Amino acid sequence: MKLFKKNKEQRKLGWNDLTLADLMQIKSISDLQLATEDEKNLKVAAIVCKVPYDKLIQMPLSEVRKYMDQTEFLFSAPKPRKVKHTYIINGRRYKLLKNEMEMLTSQYIDFQAIYKDGFDKRPGELLAVMMVPEGHEYNDGYDNELVVKDMYDMKVEEALGITDFFTRRFVRLIERTKMFYTLIMKWKKLTATKEEKEMIKVMEIQMNLMRDQINSMCGWTVLKP
């Protein structure tokens, strides 16, 4: 009779073992001012391996090494997953906005608010603009805070796939809008007053800035190691 069972080899971890909330925690660790690099690395390992930090630092170095090895995938870039029509997160089903032309005005307004705050600060809120609970229209009375919480529980590579898909289509929408306004501005300049011409220049600058900002979201920096 065997008195000891052979330890099973640890499963290799990858980007889709992390949620968006995990990734935001990892990103915040790099901003810690007083922590040493070793402390930061251990804190990251604690998040990735789902082991309490206080428990990790009480382990022998030989045992900690196996947890550190599990974080090696962080040195490679996550790969965006192909988008799906629906997603199930925490038992709730969500549908993805796949046609940018179907975006409601309220969605665009919320998108703009997140754009002003910075996409890297509110990724869950951005995803909540693109994802709507099944059986609902955007912001028709469902619990938006719960939706945002679910978005932070989405796997990293799935979240990256959605943001890349959405932003590429949104860039296309911005380009169409810019072309439309460019035509109007060219016509308006013929009869515009000095003040109106200055306003037109401001609008042109704003459109270009928005296009550049949206373009920068593809391969979103918050979802990069």
Side-chain angles (χ1 to χ4, degrees):
M1 186 176 76
K2 292 183 179 180
L3 297 178
F4 300 97
K5 292 183 179 179
K6 186 178 180 181
N7 289 332
K8 291 183 179 180
E9 186 177 347
Q10 275 193 307
R11 182 175 66 86
K12 189 174 182 180
L13 298 179
W15 277 107
N16 240 36
D17 290 296
L18 297 182
T19 65
L20 186 55
D22 292 332
L23 183 58
M24 295 302 288
Q25 279 188 280
I26 290 172
K27 288 284 186 179
S28 69
I29 289 172
S30 64
D31 297 328
L32 296 176
Q33 297 294 323
L34 300 179
T36 66
E37 287 305 310
D38 285 340
E39 287 175 312
K40 291 179 181 181
N41 290 337
L42 286 168
K43 287 179 181 293
V44 169
I47 294 170
V48 171
C49 300
K50 312 298 183 187
V51 178
Y53 175 75
D54 291 342
K55 181 179 178 180
L56 196 63
I57 60 176
Q58 294 301 321
M59 293 180 183
L61 284 172
S62 58
E63 190 173 348
V64 170
R65 183 70 257 170
K66 69 181 180 182
Y67 290 107
M68 298 303 297
D69 289 344
Q70 292 290 83
T71 68
E72 288 183 357
F73 71 89
L74 295 174
F75 293 101
S76 60
K79 297 179 181 179
R81 297 249 173 145
K82 185 178 180 180
V83 295
K84 301 179 289 188
H85 290 285
T86 60
Y87 292 81
I88 297 177
I89 309 171
N90 294 332
R92 287 174 283 275
R93 188 181 295 272
Y94 292 91
K95 59 183 180 181
L96 173 66
L97 172 71
K98 296 193 75 172
N99 187 344
E100 71 278 9
M101 300 306 293
E102 294 178 359
M103 175 178 272
L104 303 178
T105 302
S106 57
Q107 280 175 295
Y108 181 76
I109 291 171
D110 289 344
F111 179 88
Q112 282 283 74
I114 297 168
Y115 157 75
K116 290 178 181 177
D117 288 347
F119 298 121
D120 58 333
K121 296 178 182 178
R122 302 171 63 192
E125 286 79 356
L126 178 64
L127 286 168
V129 173
M130 312 171 201
M131 305 277 283
V132 178
E134 192 172 60
H136 291 272
E137 295 300 324
Y138 181 72
N139 205 19
D140 67 355
Y142 57 79
D143 188 343
N144 189 62
E145 289 185 7
L146 179 62
V147 173
V148 172
K149 183 178 180 298
D150 281 348
M151 295 304 105
Y152 279 107
D153 286 337
M154 180 176 283
K155 300 299 184 181
V156 167
E157 291 183 332
E158 287 192 334
L160 182 57
I162 291 171
T163 54
D164 270 7
F165 174 85
F166 180 82
T167 51
R168 286 192 180 99
R169 287 183 171 244
F170 201 79
V171 165
R172 195 164 61 190
L173 179 61
I174 290 292
E175 288 296 336
R176 289 175 186 159
T177 305
K178 185 173 180 291
M179 287 176 61
F180 173 72
Y181 275 106
T182 299
L183 290 173
I184 291 178
M185 289 171 187
K186 285 182 179 179
W187 173 78
K188 187 70 175 174
K189 280 180 180 179
L190 297 175
T191 57
T193 64
K194 182 178 179 180
E195 289 77 14
E196 288 173 333
K197 288 180 180 179
E198 290 298 321
M199 182 61 69
I200 290 170
K201 287 181 180 179
V202 171
M203 289 177 67
E204 288 176 336
I205 292 171
Q206 288 177 339
M207 291 294 291
N208 287 329
L209 286 174
M210 183 182 294
R211 179 199 59 203
D212 294 342
Q213 179 69 21
I214 301 299
N215 267 317
S216 70
M217 285 177 60
C218 297
W220 199 8
T221 54
V222 76
L223 297 178
K224 290 182 178 179

